[in-house]
Amino acid sequence: MNLTAEQIQSNWNEFMGNIDTYISSPRKEKLIEFYEKYQERIILMPASHKKEYHSAFPGGYVDHVNRVVRGALSMSGLWEGFGCDMSTFTTEELVFSAINHDLGKMGSETEESYISQDDKWRREKLGEDYKFNTKVPFASVPDRGLFMLQSHGITYTFNEMVAIQTHDGLYDDANKKYLMTFMPEQKPRTSLPFILHQADMMAARIEFEIEWLPKFKGSVDASKTNYILSVNNKEVSKTTSKTKALGSIKSAGLKNMLDNL
C-alpha cells in the first residue's frame, strides 16, 4: 500500500486529534510534546519491516494506530452490549493504551528501529523494505514503549500498563502469566487488555485484506484464465486429432459410430 502525502498528513492530524480529544491534562500536554518532538520520525514510520506483515510502508505506523483507536472504541461498545463491566476502565485508558500500544517500534531516543533495507536480494526475494537497526539495544515492543513513556515523564495507570504489555495476546508467550491463569484472583480485573488485543488483531487483519486480498484475487483470476485457455487448447487439439483419425477410417459405419463419441 502506498499513502499519498495528503493521506499521511491527514492520518497525523487524526493521531494528534485523538490525544487532544481523549487524553486529559496534564498528560495531554506531555504526550503532545513527546509526539511533536519525534514527529518527523513517527509520521513516516512503517508498522513492521516486511511486506508480509502489516503496514510495512511509509506512514504505516500512524495508519495502523489510528485504526486500532477506532477499533478499540467500537469494540468497547460491542463488549458493553454483551454485558461487560465498563466501570473497570475509562475511555481515556482505552484510547491511551491504543495510541501507545506499539510505541516501542519507534526505537530509542536517537535511533530508529526500522531502517531502509540495503540488501537488494532481501528486498526483492523476501519483501523486506526495512531491516532492524542493530544500533538499538533489544527490548520487546511493549517494554520499550513503556520505557519511552516513563523516561519522558508520561505516567500511565496499572490498567494501561497491563493492556499495553499484553496487546499481542497469546501470540506472545510472555503474556501467558496474565492471560492463561486459572485462579480467579489472578485473572485481569478489567476487560481492557482483551478489548485492545481484539482491536489490534482486527486492524492488522483489515490491513492484510487491503494489501493482499486483491493480489490473491488477481492470482486466482489469472489461474482461472490459464485453466480455461488450457482446457480450450486441449479441446481444439482433441477436435483436430479426432478429425484426422476419422479421415483415415474407410468403414462408413465405424466412422459414424466414432463421430458420435
Side-chain angles (χ1 to χ4, degrees), residues 23-227:
I23 309 303
S24 59
S25 298
R27 279 205 305 182
K28 175 195 296 187
E29 288 73 24
K30 289 186 177 182
L31 267 180
I32 290 174
E33 180 182 2
F34 172 82
Y35 280 110
E36 285 181 344
K37 178 180 178 180
Y38 294 104
Q39 176 178 350
E40 289 188 8
R41 183 196 305 189
I42 294 175
I43 197 173
L44 291 175
M45 270 174 49
S48 59
H49 78 290
K50 193 172 182 179
K51 290 178 181 178
E52 283 72 14
Y53 302 157
H54 68 95
S55 302
F57 51 82
Y61 174 83
V62 174
D63 185 72
H64 170 69
V65 170
N66 288 348
R67 190 171 284 107
V68 173
V69 171
R70 294 193 298 269
L73 290 168
S74 179
M75 197 69 69
S76 67
L78 180 64
W79 276 66
E80 183 177 17
F82 273 83
C84 175
D85 184 354
M86 305 302 286
S87 69
T88 61
F89 65 93
T90 66
T91 299
E92 178 171 348
E93 287 180 317
L94 176 69
V95 175
F96 181 93
S97 302
I99 289 173
N100 299 292
H101 78 282
D102 268 347
L103 178 59
K105 292 182 177 181
M106 72 169 285
S108 66
E109 293 186 350
T110 57
E111 296 287 345
E112 301 179 46
S113 279
Y114 303 130
I115 56 178
S116 295
Q117 175 61 264
D118 52 7
D119 186 321
K120 182 180 178 182
W121 186 87
R122 297 190 72 88
R123 289 177 67 96
E124 294 179 351
K125 303 300 183 182
L126 301 182
E128 295 180 2
D129 289 333
Y130 301 90
K131 66 178 181 178
F132 291 106
N133 185 355
T134 56
K135 293 181 180 180
V136 179
F138 172 78
S140 70
V141 169
D143 287 346
R144 190 184 303 282
L146 292 169
F147 174 80
M148 291 297 289
L149 289 172
Q150 65 86 23
S151 67
H152 285 79
I154 301 169
T155 60
Y156 42 82
T157 67
F158 183 83
N159 279 349
E160 292 164 348
M161 179 194 72
V162 175
I164 291 172
Q165 195 76 54
T166 62
H167 75 268
D168 279 329
L170 291 175
Y171 287 100
D172 185 344
D173 286 343
N175 295 332
K176 287 183 177 180
K177 60 182 178 289
Y178 288 104
L179 305 178
M180 284 190 68
T181 56
F182 302 100
M183 298 297 290
E185 61 270 20
Q186 293 180 327
K187 293 181 181 293
R189 306 293 174 91
T190 173
S191 292
L192 174 59
F194 304 100
I195 295 173
L196 178 62
H197 171 57
Q198 288 186 352
D200 184 37
M201 186 167 59
M202 180 177 68
R205 171 64 196 185
I206 297 302
E207 289 152 14
F208 164 80
E209 292 189 359
I210 293 172
E211 177 73 21
W212 288 98
L213 288 192
K215 297 177 182 178
F216 292 153
K217 186 176 185 300
S219 297
V220 170
D221 289 345
S223 298
K224 287 181 179 178
T225 300
N226 291 335
Y227 173 76

